[in-house]
Amino acid sequence: MIDQPASESMATLRRESLVSVIIIFLDEERFLQQAVDSVLAQDYPNWELLLVNDGSSDASAEIARSIAAGDPRVRYLEHPGGKNHGMSASRNLGLRHAQGEYVAFLDAD
């Protein structure tokens, strides 16, 4: 086996490792797009974004659905019946659907 310099092995890891970013939200129409934009602006290319609606009654669900419809790396999730189940249950819903080797939680606000 040939040893690779640390910088080369890190570069390989960076290209190959999928990162799942989970944003849970409840009535965050004012800030949701900004949170998503911060993910879209990353230099790291191999990520997926899971937008988890925790029972929003404002326009944030429509914003999230629109973002997901426009980018195959983004998925929209919600609890059955669109109900509010709380932050922990919403993060767990995102985790159940995450496909990445690494997970990052990002607040919607």
Side-chain angles (χ1 to χ4, degrees):
M1 180 173 132
I2 299 174
D3 288 333
Q4 291 181 324
S7 60
E8 282 183 41
S9 60
M10 282 302 285
T12 302
L13 174 68
R14 289 192 61 190
R15 274 195 308 275
E16 296 174 1
S17 298
L18 179 65
V19 175
S20 297
V21 180
I22 298 172
I23 299 177
I24 64 169
F25 62 92
L26 173 62
D27 297 333
E28 292 292 346
E29 69 180 295
R30 287 185 56 208
F31 302 108
L32 183 58
Q33 185 66 57
Q34 291 174 350
V36 170
D37 287 345
S38 73
V39 176
L40 296 173
Q42 297 301 308
D43 291 335
Y44 184 78
N46 199 15
W47 54 263
E48 65 173 354
L49 174 59
L50 296 102
L51 300 173
V52 183
N53 182 3
D54 189 24
S56 296
S57 60
D58 67 358
S60 55
E62 288 78 25
I63 293 167
R65 282 188 195 104
S66 176
I67 294 167
D71 191 325
R73 300 170 296 178
V74 181
R75 287 184 281 151
Y76 173 83
L77 303 168
E78 64 181 23
H79 299 287
K83 302 286 184 187
N84 173 272
H85 286 262
M87 295 170 61
S88 295
S90 296
R91 286 189 179 108
N92 287 335
L93 177 61
L95 283 170
R96 282 194 301 275
H97 289 270
Q99 298 174 356
E101 182 176 350
Y102 301 101
V103 174
F105 293 105
L106 178 63
D107 290 339
D109 62 354

